[in-house]
Amino acid sequence: MIEIVDLHKKFGTNAVLRGVNLKVAKGETFALIGASGKGKSVLIKHMIGLMKPDQGQVKIDGQDIGRLHGKKLVQLKNRIGIVFQFGALFDSLSVFDNVAFPLQEKTRLGAKQINDKVLAALDNVGLKGEEEKFPAQISGGMRKRVAVARCLVMDPEIILFDEPTTGLDPVIANSIYSTIQKLQRERNLTSFIISHEIPGIFKIVDRAAMLHDGRIIQVGTSDEIQNSTVPIVQKFLKGEIE
Amino acid sequence: MLTFIQSIGASVIGFVRELGKIGCFLLTALFYVFTPPFLLNRVTRQIHFLGVKTILVVVLTGLFTGMVLTLQSYYVLVTFGAEARLGSILSLSLIREIGPVLTGLMVVGRAGSALTAEIGIMRISEQIDALDAMALNPHKYLVIPNILASLIVFPILTSFFIVAGIWGGYLVAVQLTGMAPGVFFGAMSDSILLNDLLLGFYKALSFGVLVTWICCYKGFFAGVGSGFGAQGVSKATTDAVVLSSVLILVCDYFITSVMIFG
Ligand SMILES: Nc1ncnc2c1ncn2[C@@H]1O[C@H](COP(=O)(O)OP(=O)(O)OP(=O)(O)O)[C@@H](O)[C@H]1O
Ligand SMILES: [Mg+2]
């Protein structure tokens, strides 16, 4: 489903990605871990075509997203939903309008249907009654939840989450994860989650990988990663200083 | 010595590259103007943003420009006994030059800077990326509505400016210096030709495209090579205002010379 082949990316002299190889199967829930500033967000931006690789490809169902144009690119992007690390909400729109925006612009649903869908999506992330507020008037965690609602309201096949639950309390975080699990069971959702929640995230995902020094140093099932014998992974999981 | 030449070379290359980027930006926008979906409600909103909120400023500047022009011209013309030409001088200079140029500058200050800041903030807070990730074309949402709106807004604002200017001239000439209204307006209707109106109209259209193009461009690429975060946006805004103001005057010269001698 998602296949990353030998991905390289440099910013000036800062070689952030130096040959990332990774496969995520359809219907899989996958976690990417790694130290701060190592290029996880950069990687996820390549997966939806926002950044172009210097070398290598991101293939989704065999299509190289960096080289697609026009209709094909639109069709592919329509299947993918992304939650940015900092939410990227439209700050001149209210919470309701933020979630309604993709529905209004991309579907032919009527106002009533949109209204119902948006309210349900917001309810799902525990934001009932906050519809009229603006992004500047809500907390960081609430913003994140609006971003999750905006992503899920479009029923994507693949979701890319850049730290969806950082800054959220455990109750809300669990409810977001149980939503992801429910969607996985019902619609065979593929999810790619960047997370710093260790070890919590391993309970949710099928497999995980660790990004270090621009490469994936280990991929495996949750258990394999948790009981890793790779020293860097071990240290990272225990929070030890190198 | 070598490094000096190198730095000249580098800045020339940088300049040419920037020019290319600005050009491509307009071409991309023009390309998407003709591909659906057409977001007409966004155009209406930008007409409101660029135009409606700028009317007061434009009318005020028009009024006072007309008044001071009349005052100045009157005292010069009177020494030649040619004050009967006052209406003609005032209306022609307003229609051909001052109206379009000052309106353009006022819109840059009032709305252009706001436009750059708004788009720039959307850039640095990844809102443009979010649009892109939803497979919605950011050019269609943020750039084209402004350019289209400017085609409607600039001519209308310019005509408001001119009317306000002429009215200001009337106040000074007729009410203050006691010239006969017939003389003041008669000179006007005798001297204004269709070509003068067209010149003013073309200028208004060109300045509209120019201003929205530059201001959108600067906002769209805020933070790319111009510092990051709030500083990037503030630099983009300053650049946009300076560049579009200068280009209005440069463009004005060229349009005038082409229309007169072309
Ligand atoms: N647009 C950019 N221009 C230049 N450098 C960038 C850009 N985006 C990211 N980088 C660099 O890429 C590196 C990785 O950044 P990234 O945001 O991917 O880290 P991350 O792994 O997501 O960290 P965190 O866990 O803190 O979110 C950093 O060194 C950063 O300086
Ligand atoms: Mg990140």
Side-chain angles (χ1 to χ4, degrees):
Chain A
M1 163 124 260
I2 306 176
E3 189 180 1
I4 301 171
V5 188
D6 194 32
L7 199 69
H8 288 255
K9 182 73 178 179
K10 251 189 198 169
F11 295 104
T13 54
N14 179 10
V16 178
L17 302 179
R18 304 179 215 165
V20 174
N21 288 289
L22 199 61
K23 273 187 195 171
V24 180
K26 187 164 176 56
E28 193 169 30
T29 309
F30 193 95
L32 180 71
I33 59 172
S36 177
K38 294 291 183 186
K40 302 182 298 298
S41 299
V42 169
L43 180 62
I44 215 167
K45 282 181 189 161
H46 280 89
M47 295 170 73
I48 192 150
L50 285 175
M51 284 185 179
K52 298 273 179 272
D54 298 337
Q55 189 188 320
Q57 298 138 354
V58 175
K59 290 192 208 159
I60 294 180
D61 284 343
Q63 294 172 296
D64 179 355
I65 194 162
R67 294 222 173 73
L68 283 183
H69 292 287
K71 270 219 177 74
K72 286 219 167 113
L73 182 61
V74 171
Q75 278 168 0
L76 189 58
K77 279 184 181 170
N78 283 345
R79 297 168 49 201
I80 310 175
I82 184 168
V83 173
F84 289 90
Q85 185 166 7
F86 303 105
L89 297 181
F90 300 119
D91 49 19
S92 54
L93 299 181
S94 69
V95 165
F96 180 92
D97 289 334
N98 259 288
V99 181
F101 184 81
L103 292 170
Q104 286 161 348
E105 301 297 325
K106 301 187 64 82
T107 66
R108 294 179 182 280
L109 298 178
K112 173 83 178 67
Q113 282 165 301
I114 290 182
N115 190 52
D116 293 348
K117 274 195 135 189
V118 172
L119 293 183
L122 284 173
D123 195 15
N124 209 351
V125 292
L127 283 176
K128 207 175 192 164
E130 311 283 349
E131 297 88 9
E132 300 306 320
K133 294 198 175 131
F134 281 83
Q137 298 171 310
I138 59 180
S139 75
M142 288 159 86
R143 259 175 250 160
K144 195 124 232 184
R145 284 185 273 159
V146 178
V148 171
R150 183 176 71 179
C151 168
L152 293 180
V153 80
M154 290 300 286
D155 296 332
E157 273 174 57
I158 304 170
I159 51 175
L160 307 174
F161 275 181
D162 197 346
E163 305 188 17
T165 54
T166 307
L168 298 186
D169 63 67
V171 179
I172 304 263
N174 279 335
S175 89
I176 287 180
Y177 284 131
S178 66
T179 307
I180 294 175
Q181 286 171 321
K182 193 177 108 219
L183 291 173
Q184 197 280 327
R185 282 194 304 274
E186 288 170 1
R187 300 199 281 109
N188 205 20
L189 177 79
T190 309
S191 21
F192 183 89
I193 305 169
I194 294 176
S195 182
H196 282 307
E197 268 172 82
I198 292 163
I201 190 74
F202 294 117
K203 281 191 236 127
I204 292 115
V205 299
D206 306 320
R207 288 197 307 145
M210 176 157 167
L211 183 69
H212 184 78
D213 280 346
R215 291 193 190 83
I216 300 293
I217 53 166
Q218 193 184 3
V219 198
T221 62
S222 291
D223 288 338
E224 282 166 9
I225 297 285
Q226 273 179 298
N227 306 317
S228 173
T229 50
V230 182
I232 297 171
V233 181
Q234 269 179 348
K235 276 192 180 151
F236 182 72
L237 294 183
K238 287 195 206 127
E240 285 172 9
I241 301 159
E242 285 177 40
Chain B
M1 189 61 195
L2 198 61
T3 53
F4 177 66
I5 296 173
Q6 267 175 346
S7 72
I8 292 181
S11 55
V12 169
I13 290 174
F15 177 73
V16 172
R17 187 173 289 165
E18 175 87 358
L19 270 189
K21 253 176 87 182
I22 298 187
C24 285
F25 186 75
L26 185 66
L27 289 182
T28 319
L30 288 184
F31 171 74
Y32 288 122
V33 168
F34 300 104
T35 50
F38 306 106
L39 304 165
L40 287 180
N41 58 340
R42 294 206 156 239
V43 179
T44 338
R45 209 160 76 197
Q46 289 319 105
I47 291 177
H48 179 76
F49 175 76
L50 290 173
V52 178
K53 294 176 175 172
T54 319
I55 291 178
L56 186 65
V57 185
V58 163
V59 167
L60 272 180
T61 31
L63 185 70
F64 281 96
T65 310
M67 285 164 70
V68 78
L69 265 181
T70 310
L71 213 52
Q72 289 284 5
S73 322
Y74 182 78
Y75 284 105
V76 175
L77 290 172
V78 125
T79 56
F80 301 106
E83 66 269 26
R85 307 306 304 155
L86 183 62
S88 144
I89 289 180
L90 174 71
S91 58
L92 282 181
S93 50
L94 278 176
I95 291 172
R96 297 169 60 109
E97 293 294 340
I98 300 170
V101 169
L102 280 188
T103 307
L105 294 179
M106 293 324 288
V107 181
V108 170
R110 219 303 278 135
S113 51
L115 197 60
T116 309
E118 192 180 323
I119 298 180
I121 287 174
M122 293 189 74
R123 163 63 70 197
I124 61 164
S125 58
E126 296 184 321
Q127 294 175 51
I128 296 184
D129 287 342
L131 273 180
D132 207 336
M134 290 175 189
L136 297 171
N137 186 327
H139 282 272
K140 272 199 176 300
Y141 282 80
L142 304 175
V143 181
I144 294 166
N146 287 303
I147 296 184
L148 293 182
S150 78
L151 292 179
I152 295 168
V153 163
F154 272 67
I156 294 179
L157 284 182
T158 303
S159 56
F160 280 12
F161 186 99
I162 294 168
V163 170
I166 290 175
W167 191 59
Y170 164 84
L171 285 184
V172 171
V174 177
Q175 308 291 341
L176 206 68
T177 65
M179 180 187 272
V183 175
F184 181 71
F185 287 115
M188 250 179 235
S189 58
D190 287 345
S191 56
I192 301 172
L193 301 175
L194 179 63
N195 266 344
D196 301 318
L197 294 176
L198 278 182
L199 179 64
F201 182 65
Y202 291 150
K203 280 186 179 175
L205 288 182
S206 324
F207 297 163
V209 172
L210 188 77
V211 167
T212 44
W213 167 29
I214 301 290
C215 290
C216 288
Y217 170 82
K218 285 289 173 189
F220 208 82
F221 293 105
V224 181
S226 67
F228 291 97
Q231 214 168 28
V233 175
S234 86
K235 176 143 193 321
T237 311
T238 319
D239 285 357
V241 170
V242 172
L243 190 61
S244 31
S245 310
V246 171
L247 282 181
I248 283 180
L249 295 169
V250 173
C251 224
D252 181 52
Y253 174 79
F254 284 108
I255 297 176
T256 308
S257 58
V258 166
M259 286 289 282
I260 290 181
F261 301 107

